[in-house]
Amino acid sequence: MATAKPDTQKLLTELDDLLLKAKANIASTDSEEELDQERVRYTGRKSELTTILRGIKDLSDDGKKEVGARANEVKEKVLELVEKQSMVLRKKSVERASKEEELDVTLPGNKIPQGRRHIISQMQERTEEIFQRMGFDVVYPYEIDTDFNNFQAVNIPEGHPARDSWDTFWTEDGQIAITHTSAMQNRVLRSHEPPIRVVVPGRTFRHEATDARHEHTFFQVEGVYVDKGVTFADMLGTLQTFFSEFFGQKIGIKFSPDFFPFVEPGGMISIDVSGLGDSFMEISKGTGWLEILGCGMIHPRVLEMGGIDPNVYSGFAWGFGLERVVMPKFAIEDIRLIYKGDLDFVRQF
Ligand code: PHE
């Protein structure tokens, strides 16, 4: 019985056809899974390629060589096509993912909004510079401090009715979020030798309802001045000089008596804002006077507790709210805006 002898040319043609088919099938795959099926189909152990090669044993030696070499070429070519298609599929899937996230990776990056020094920080710096030029050192308060420093050392013993003027946040272990920068007075007195000239700018905290004029967190600037023969007039002169520098024009000040347990005599100082523009006039309710700080001659007991002999030395202290001057200066009507963290607000200054 005559068997149809596969001739070389026939097998070579079959290989060419196989390659063409593989090319088309590989190019039309849509997933890595499909692609892998095609790879196995054309190059695996039970592949069509293997079937063709089965006929090789009946060929002449030259024919075997020729078809064998061609089969290898076809196999390599197929693997190459698979590799290329795999890259195409990967790229497609990245594009699909980014389209789903509506992310166009070819667009330039977004500009992240830049911050700006906060208006309170800028004015704190200005305050520090002015006082430093006047010979003051700057120290910063502890935001959490003891009952002793916040109250007792400034002559407000436990149970003293004056404590009611400073509604307080307490920590669980009985410390205080400082209600005023006066909490640093005792440390300042203890750590400096007269003449003492120190300002203490820092954040203070009060447990109270907020409104356009009140925040639970605000900024105070304390001043402590101690030397031999310091008088009330020195205090007025120091504060007047500061405010004139701060506002860039000569500022009048007015003292009205008031009570603070840590000063005697003590009172409030108002500044003459009649020359500072409409928003100042408005905030002073048309009077032209804006009350901005408490001050007075340091109480002898406070000096004593700070290790300073009140028979030899005298001094004055003050504490003013920085927002009190910043708000009218920049026509900010609501103190809560200052601490909202709104970038549009912050960037205005
Ligand atoms: N600590 C006072 C307050 O917060 C202000 C003050 C400071 C008054 C120093 C007198 C002397 O109200």
Side-chain angles (χ1 to χ4, degrees):
M1 205 171 46
T3 25
K5 261 201 173 181
D7 62 54
T8 307
Q9 194 50 53
K10 184 169 168 260
L11 290 187
L12 288 176
T13 309
E14 277 179 28
L15 283 172
D16 283 349
D17 290 348
L18 182 75
L19 183 55
L20 280 177
K21 217 163 58 168
K23 227 183 208 169
N25 286 345
I26 287 169
S28 68
T29 57
D30 226 6
S31 68
E32 290 283 340
E33 228 173 29
E34 278 175 36
L35 180 61
D36 204 52
Q37 280 167 11
E38 294 304 315
R39 181 184 60 79
V40 173
R41 181 164 154 202
Y42 290 108
T43 64
R45 252 190 322 123
K46 290 180 188 161
S47 66
E48 294 179 31
L49 189 66
T50 313
T51 314
I52 296 172
L53 284 175
R54 230 176 260 144
I56 209 173
K57 61 182 188 302
D58 299 323
L59 296 181
S60 63
D61 281 354
D62 278 353
K64 275 182 192 157
K65 248 192 218 156
E66 202 179 337
V67 174
R70 185 85 186 137
N72 274 337
E73 268 174 43
V74 168
K75 185 172 177 176
E76 257 160 48
K77 190 81 192 150
V78 168
L79 291 176
E80 215 174 88
L81 289 168
V82 166
E83 190 57 39
K84 271 193 191 144
Q85 178 68 2
S86 167
M87 268 158 67
V88 169
L89 289 177
R90 246 175 292 158
K91 205 175 150 206
K92 266 194 195 156
S93 98
V94 169
E95 278 168 8
R96 217 176 298 138
S98 50
K99 217 174 252 160
E100 273 163 23
E101 294 164 21
E102 296 203 25
L103 182 83
D104 185 347
V105 291
T106 62
L107 285 175
N110 279 334
K111 209 172 163 204
I112 294 167
Q114 292 296 303
R116 165 85 53 99
R117 285 210 80 198
H118 195 277
I119 184 61
I120 291 293
S121 305
Q122 293 181 43
M123 291 301 110
Q124 173 191 349
E125 192 173 279
R126 177 159 177 171
T127 301
E128 290 177 7
E129 275 169 16
I130 295 169
F131 280 118
Q132 278 169 332
R133 256 184 277 131
M134 291 166 77
F136 284 77
D137 287 337
V138 177
V139 304
Y140 300 105
Y142 293 67
E143 292 188 347
I144 303 291
D145 210 334
T146 57
D147 184 285
F148 175 80
N149 281 309
N150 195 80
F151 289 127
Q152 296 165 42
V154 286
N155 210 21
I156 312 175
E158 264 174 69
H160 192 289
R163 286 199 177 206
D164 294 347
S165 333
W166 289 276
D167 292 322
T168 311
F169 289 112
W170 299 84
T171 65
E172 276 167 15
D173 59 351
Q175 310 239 62
I176 291 175
I178 59 168
T179 62
H180 53 181
T181 41
S182 301
M184 279 302 282
Q185 282 196 14
N186 188 263
R187 280 203 193 80
V188 165
L189 296 175
R190 290 193 168 280
S191 59
H192 290 71
E193 291 289 327
I196 300 172
R197 282 184 289 266
V198 171
V199 285
V200 186
R203 280 200 295 181
T204 52
F205 311 87
R206 299 222 181 143
H207 182 230
E208 59 184 40
T210 62
D211 61 30
R213 299 258 168 276
H214 298 91
E215 253 296 2
H216 51 72
T217 301
F218 55 102
F219 212 93
Q220 281 196 331
V221 181
E222 189 88 2
V224 178
Y225 192 119
V226 176
D227 201 357
K228 286 181 181 155
V230 174
T231 67
F232 196 86
D234 295 326
M235 177 176 80
L236 298 181
T238 302
L239 290 170
Q240 178 157 39
T241 306
F242 167 73
F243 285 112
S244 299
E245 291 265 327
F246 188 85
F247 289 110
Q249 67 186 80
K250 194 162 176 5
I251 298 284
I253 63 174
K254 183 168 85 175
F255 178 86
S256 23
D258 202 345
F259 175 72
F260 297 96
F262 33 95
V263 285
E264 182 59 40
M268 302 292 290
I269 279 192
S270 306
I271 56 173
D272 177 3
V273 295
S274 55
L276 294 178
D278 291 349
S279 59
F280 280 89
M281 277 313 275
E282 220 166 275
I283 210 165
S284 71
K285 301 193 180 87
T287 65
W289 291 100
L290 189 60
E291 214 172 54
I292 45 172
L293 63 78
C295 64
M297 301 305 288
I298 301 175
H299 196 287
R301 274 194 49 70
V302 173
L303 288 177
E304 248 166 37
M305 281 187 277
I308 287 173
D309 185 349
N311 298 312
V312 180
Y313 295 101
S314 58
F316 58 85
W318 75 82
F320 74 86
L322 196 53
E323 296 87 356
R324 278 285 171 114
V325 285
V326 168
M327 286 172 67
K329 186 169 166 65
F330 297 95
I332 302 165
E333 306 101 53
D334 193 326
I335 189 171
R336 291 167 295 194
L337 287 170
I338 298 180
Y339 297 109
K340 232 171 101 184
D342 183 325
L343 274 180
D344 285 339
F345 172 84
V346 171
R347 279 202 215 97
Q348 293 175 73
F349 309 104

